[in-house]
Amino acid sequence: LYGSSSDQSCPNEVFLADRRNMTAIPLYTYDTEPHLLSQSRVEDNFVPTSHFDSNNMTFISGGYYSFITQGAQVEGWGGLVGPSSYGQPDVQFEFEEKPSRWHNHSFLNLSAFFIDTYPVTNKAYLKFIFESGYKPKYSTNFLNHLKIATTNSDEQPVRYISLSDARAYCNYYNKTLPRSYQWQRVAQGPNGDRIFPWGNDWDLNAVPTPDTGFSMREPPDVGTHPLGASAEGVHDLVATIWQLTDQFCDDHTCRVIIRGGSYYRPNSAEWYLPSTYRNDEQQTLLLFSDALDRSGAIGFRCVVNSVPLAA
């Protein structure tokens, strides 16, 4: 099609030569054992000052905390074969040698911190935009729910924000996103023994009514379900909106841990993204771009750390 077959500049010959090189080594000679890529946390690189507004924040005492959690990835229970058969991994915390599905640090030394009592609301985020002049680099889907004539209210949790959008908000107010184990410490309470923020038994009155339809209804205002508050009075931790925490990356991909699950549970969705209503479960969101990462089911809250975080 492109001339003489001996002409290496022809696209067909270049392609075929490349295929020959790729197939020169028989497949059976390659290692068949899966090897996990090491991950590292992506730090916020924000250094807060001592000045912050603790209004609408809850103080969480520090101390040794037993952090035990597991990922909830779909089709992860079978795990990997061979020596790596410890379950489909999600992330690799700084105290772990490799990525894993199960995470256990029995003596995590947490410093005291403040956490937002409620998820960040539409009103609070719009106030931040007005004060800071924030404009995302890529605006596709940014605050998408506010662009449609719906029943949005000021006190609903803000949604359709990316990890960058959430960090920009927290940093502006001298805060950061919580780490996954901070979020879990808040949900489990000072004794670290609660299955759900309010106790050990599921309570339908503590969370919004599940939405199983194809079109997601608007979330309730924050604080609408006071029975769902944690031991220290932090609200809307589970079954309201997923909440952004830590980001981890390997050589190829990045993901963010999302906690708490959402009230939006369309039919068959549990197969694609299992909910994590229990305090000792976490889910991850594979990151693509700010535009694609923005979701109507994901929001956030911020923390303020008093001293260096954990040892």
Side-chain angles (χ1 to χ4, degrees):
L1 292 176
Y2 296 94
S4 170
S5 61
S6 62
D7 183 4
Q8 287 293 311
S9 65
C10 293
N12 278 359
E13 281 302 317
V14 172
F15 173 80
L16 291 173
D18 185 50
R19 299 307 99 174
R20 282 193 294 270
N21 290 334
M22 289 180 63
T23 57
I25 302 175
L27 290 177
Y28 69 83
T29 64
Y30 286 94
D31 186 1
T32 59
E33 167 65 18
H35 297 281
L36 299 176
L37 294 175
S38 294
Q39 298 181 18
S40 59
R41 186 200 311 276
V42 177
E43 299 294 348
D44 198 334
N45 292 326
F46 172 73
V47 181
T49 68
S50 59
H51 304 291
F52 71 96
D53 185 357
S54 62
N55 287 328
N56 296 317
M57 299 194 80
T58 299
F59 178 76
I60 305 298
S61 60
Y64 285 101
Y65 168 61
S66 181
F67 176 61
I68 302 174
T69 191
Q70 66 179 27
Q73 293 80 356
V74 66
E75 294 187 339
W77 299 114
L80 303 173
V81 297
S84 296
S85 58
Y86 46 86
Q88 183 67 30
D90 56 1
V91 299
Q92 178 181 354
F93 286 100
E94 63 272 19
F95 49 80
E96 297 173 317
E97 296 181 355
K98 56 189 175 184
S100 178
R101 183 189 185 91
W102 295 278
H103 312 281
N104 188 334
H105 193 316
S106 298
F107 298 100
L108 189 65
N109 189 10
L110 282 181
S111 301
F113 60 95
F114 288 85
I115 189 167
D116 288 342
T117 304
Y118 307 96
V120 175
T121 62
N122 291 329
K123 180 180 180 180
Y125 203 91
L126 291 175
K127 178 175 179 285
F128 153 69
I129 293 175
F130 177 78
E131 291 180 349
S132 68
Y134 175 72
K135 293 182 180 180
K137 185 176 181 180
Y138 303 104
S139 61
T140 303
N141 293 327
F142 179 57
L143 300 180
N144 207 39
H145 62 300
L146 300 181
K147 302 173 185 176
I148 307 170
T150 64
T151 56
N152 289 298
S153 78
D154 287 347
E155 297 306 318
Q156 288 173 355
V158 70
R159 300 170 291 135
Y160 287 101
I161 47 86
S162 68
L163 185 62
S164 298
D165 302 329
R167 282 176 172 164
Y169 174 95
C170 292
N171 292 174
Y172 182 78
Y173 293 110
N174 274 314
K175 304 176 184 181
T176 63
L177 288 173
R179 298 210 171 157
S180 182
Y181 41 72
Q182 286 181 305
W183 189 99
Q184 184 166 318
R185 156 63 183 85
V186 173
Q188 289 185 319
N191 294 327
D193 57 357
R194 290 191 173 189
I195 296 175
F196 307 106
W198 55 85
N200 292 332
D201 297 312
W202 183 254
D203 185 351
L204 292 175
N205 295 315
V207 297
T209 302
D211 181 355
T212 59
F214 290 105
S215 296
M216 183 180 181
R217 72 168 189 267
E218 299 299 326
D221 290 355
V222 300
T224 300
H225 297 84
L227 293 178
S230 71
E232 290 146 310
V234 179
H235 291 249
D236 304 311
L237 286 161
V238 301
T240 301
I241 52 168
W242 294 98
Q243 296 168 37
L244 298 166
T245 61
D246 291 309
Q247 180 187 4
F248 290 86
C249 293
D250 57 33
D251 290 342
H252 298 292
T253 60
C254 290
R255 64 194 65 231
V256 60
I257 298 176
I258 49 178
R259 301 298 305 251
S262 168
Y263 67 90
Y264 185 47
R265 299 178 62 182
N267 292 329
S268 302
E270 284 297 293
W271 188 91
Y272 295 97
L273 189 73
S275 295
T276 56
Y277 294 159
R278 288 178 57 105
N279 293 333
D280 57 359
E281 296 176 334
Q282 64 182 27
Q283 187 56 271
T284 58
L285 174 70
L286 185 64
L287 298 176
F288 290 94
S289 69
D290 281 357
L292 293 176
D293 298 340
R294 295 180 178 123
S295 166
I298 298 177
F300 71 103
R301 67 178 81 217
C302 308
V303 299
V304 174
N305 301 309
S306 59
V307 291
L309 196 56

